[in-house]
Amino acid sequence: MQEINILTEQILKYSFRVHSKLGPGLLESSYKECLWYELNKNGIITEKEKALPLIYQEVKLDIGYRIDLLVENKVIVNKSS
C-alpha cells in the first residue's frame, strides 16, 4: 500500500507541474501527453491508451474500455467526466 501512495504522490506532483507550465484551457489530450512525457522522463513506466477488455461471465469483449494512462502497471489515470 505504501508503494501505491508514493506512486500516487509522484503522479500528482507531475500533474501539477504540467498544469502549472501549460496553464488552463487546453484540450485534455495535451495534458495527458505532457504527463506521460514527464512520468517516463522521470523513470516512471507509463503506458498510454491501453486497452482494457470488458469481461462478462465467460465472455471477453475486446471492445471494452481504453485507459488514458497506466502507471507502473498499478495506477490508472483517466480523465474525469
Side-chain angles (χ1 to χ4, degrees), residues 10-70:
Q10 295 271 330
I11 294 167
L12 289 171
K13 175 176 98 174
Y14 293 118
S15 295
F16 289 130
R17 177 180 292 175
V18 167
H19 193 269
S20 293
K21 287 185 178 185
L22 294 179
L26 298 177
L27 293 174
E28 175 266 331
S29 58
S30 301
Y31 299 105
K32 178 181 68 181
E33 289 295 322
C34 292
L35 178 57
W36 174 85
Y37 170 78
E38 279 287 344
L39 292 168
N40 281 288
K41 180 179 88 170
N42 288 284
I44 301 170
I45 299 168
T46 305
E47 299 175 77
K48 57 183 169 177
E49 299 296 322
K50 179 101 173 155
L52 178 67
L54 173 64
I55 300 173
Y56 177 74
Q57 295 182 3
E58 69 278 350
V59 179
K60 180 181 175 186
L61 304 170
D62 289 327
I63 59 167
Y65 301 98
R66 189 156 302 278
I67 297 170
D68 286 342
L69 298 173
L70 180 60

